[in-house]
Amino acid sequence: MFSKVRSGQVRVLIGSTAKMGAGTNVQDRLIALHDLDCPWRPSDLAQRLGRIVRQGNQNPEVEIFRYVTENTFDAYLYQLVENKQKFIAQIMTSKAPARIADDVDETALSYSEIKALATGNPLIIEKCNLDVEVSKLNMLKANHLDQWFALENLVLRKYPADIAKLTEAIAGYSS
């Protein structure tokens, strides 16, 4: 079956995450991925995406479709996946886990956006967009403070030590 998909004889392939996961090498001619449900683990969504967005696909661009139904359990499922992804991102970036996840990566944001869309409530969608903007601004602030403290350390500690060392070296050459 997989060789027929790779050759183009089979044009549509339907399968579960488990059946179409690791070891499924059918990426040669894939053009679109349709997620009909939300799995329990962020890694399952990554595994699905990995079936199509990978080396060997002859199509330079692919399309990803995620289907949700308003006012259903979909919003809750994407909320769970979003929270799990935030926690995983904290662990993977060596940031100490906190009661509130400050580090929001792009994957978590896309789960958040899907969740907001699934609710059908425009206020939740607006809140999601504002949360994204606040997260970006917080990351920019953190980067700015890191750079500020690094420069302050150079000016107050390293450069004076370097100047003293070079001054001694010059004095040694002069005598």
Side-chain angles (χ1 to χ4, degrees), residues 86 90 95-96 98-105 134-135 138-139:
K86 286 178 183 178
Q90 280 186 331
K95 295 195 185 291
R99 292 181 81 77
I100 297 173
D102 293 328
D103 182 19
V104 180
D105 69 0
V134 167
S135 294
N138 282 333
M139 284 191 290

Side-chain angles (χ1 to χ4, degrees), residues 120-166:
N121 184 337
L123 295 176
I124 293 177
I125 294 170
E126 182 179 354
K127 181 192 179 303
C128 176
N129 291 335
L130 290 172
D131 287 344
V132 169
E133 193 62 33
V134 167
S135 294
K136 287 179 184 175
L137 291 171
N138 282 333
M139 284 191 290
L140 288 172
K141 178 184 176 184
N143 287 340
H144 171 75
L145 289 175
D146 285 346
Q147 288 177 347
W148 177 268
F149 291 131
L151 290 172
E152 185 179 52
N153 184 51
L154 289 173
V155 169
L156 296 178
R157 293 191 179 95
K158 185 179 182 324
Y159 293 155
D162 289 350
I163 290 170
K165 185 177 174 182
L166 291 172

Side-chain angles (χ1 to χ4, degrees), residues 25-28 50-58:
N25 296 316
V26 294
Q27 71 275 1
D28 299 22
R51 296 302 98 215
I52 190 168
V53 180
R54 65 189 296 183
Q55 187 175 2
N57 191 339
Q58 297 172 9

Side-chain angles (χ1 to χ4, degrees), residues 5 15 25 33 35-36 55 57 65 73 77-78 81 98 104 107 110 122 130 152 155 160:
V5 173
N25 296 316
L33 170 71
D35 284 333
L36 302 178
Q55 187 175 2
N57 191 339
F65 298 95
F73 197 60
L77 286 175
Y78 275 103
V81 171
V104 180
T107 308
S110 67
L130 290 172
E152 185 179 52
V155 169

Side-chain angles (χ1 to χ4, degrees), residues 45 66 78 82 85 104-117 128 132:
L45 280 170
R66 291 204 169 115
Y78 275 103
E82 173 192 6
Q85 182 60 38
V104 180
D105 69 0
E106 292 177 20
T107 308
L109 294 178
S110 67
Y111 298 152
S112 175
E113 291 163 350
I114 293 168
K115 174 198 69 181
L117 292 171
C128 176
V132 169

